[in-house]
Amino acid sequence: MKRKPRILKKLYRHWLELAVIDLSQDPTWRERLFNSEYNSELPINSENCEGLWKPAIKALGKYGLEYTVSKVPKNQVVEPWLAEGGLVVFEFKAKKFPAVRMQTGNNPDVI
């Protein structure tokens, strides 16, 4: 079923906020991200979603949602407080709608 871009964008935003961003708390993803190069995008889709909540995994497949996540340098942080105190910032974004994005500040001492 083909969805209108407006509806698809809402689906991307919904699942990003509800579940995809939670990968920043998953030990496996944290280790991958902390060890990755800055701006090196890792895919999040129905084939690369281990650690996600089951309904989110189902939604990725059902709606064909694809995201990326990367570690970003301080000069690309949207909200400077996210990088305070030595936090490392991860950025999640929708592949088809790059404006649908969220950043999280992460303590590198906790994996």
Side-chain angles (χ1 to χ4, degrees):
M1 174 183 190
K2 185 157 171 82
R3 289 179 172 70
K4 293 181 180 181
R6 181 180 62 84
I7 301 298
L8 189 56
K9 187 175 182 179
K10 284 183 179 185
L11 283 168
Y12 269 101
R13 187 175 312 281
H14 173 78
W15 286 104
L16 174 62
E17 294 171 355
L18 182 65
V20 173
I21 200 158
D22 289 345
L23 287 180
S24 67
Q25 299 173 23
D26 180 80
T28 303
W29 282 91
R30 288 179 69 80
E31 185 174 350
R32 283 185 208 160
L33 285 160
F34 282 123
N35 292 329
S36 68
E37 297 293 322
Y38 285 106
N39 294 320
S40 176
E41 294 183 339
L42 302 175
I44 302 168
N45 54 39
S46 61
E47 295 176 8
N48 299 292
C49 57
E50 62 281 347
L52 269 180
W53 179 46
K54 296 277 187 222
I57 293 170
K58 187 175 179 180
L60 290 176
K62 180 178 180 179
Y63 303 119
L65 304 176
E66 296 181 282
Y67 299 88
T68 61
V69 59
S70 60
K71 179 172 69 172
V72 296
K74 288 184 182 186
N75 65 344
Q76 293 177 5
V77 175
V78 177
E79 299 287 336
W81 62 269
L82 285 172
E84 287 180 356
L87 295 179
V88 176
V89 177
F90 301 156
E91 181 173 76
F92 294 82
K93 62 183 172 183
K95 198 167 181 179
K96 292 182 182 177
F97 298 96
V100 175
R101 63 179 63 206
M102 293 183 80
Q103 293 182 340
T104 62
N106 298 271
N107 183 345
D109 296 330
V110 178
I111 293 185

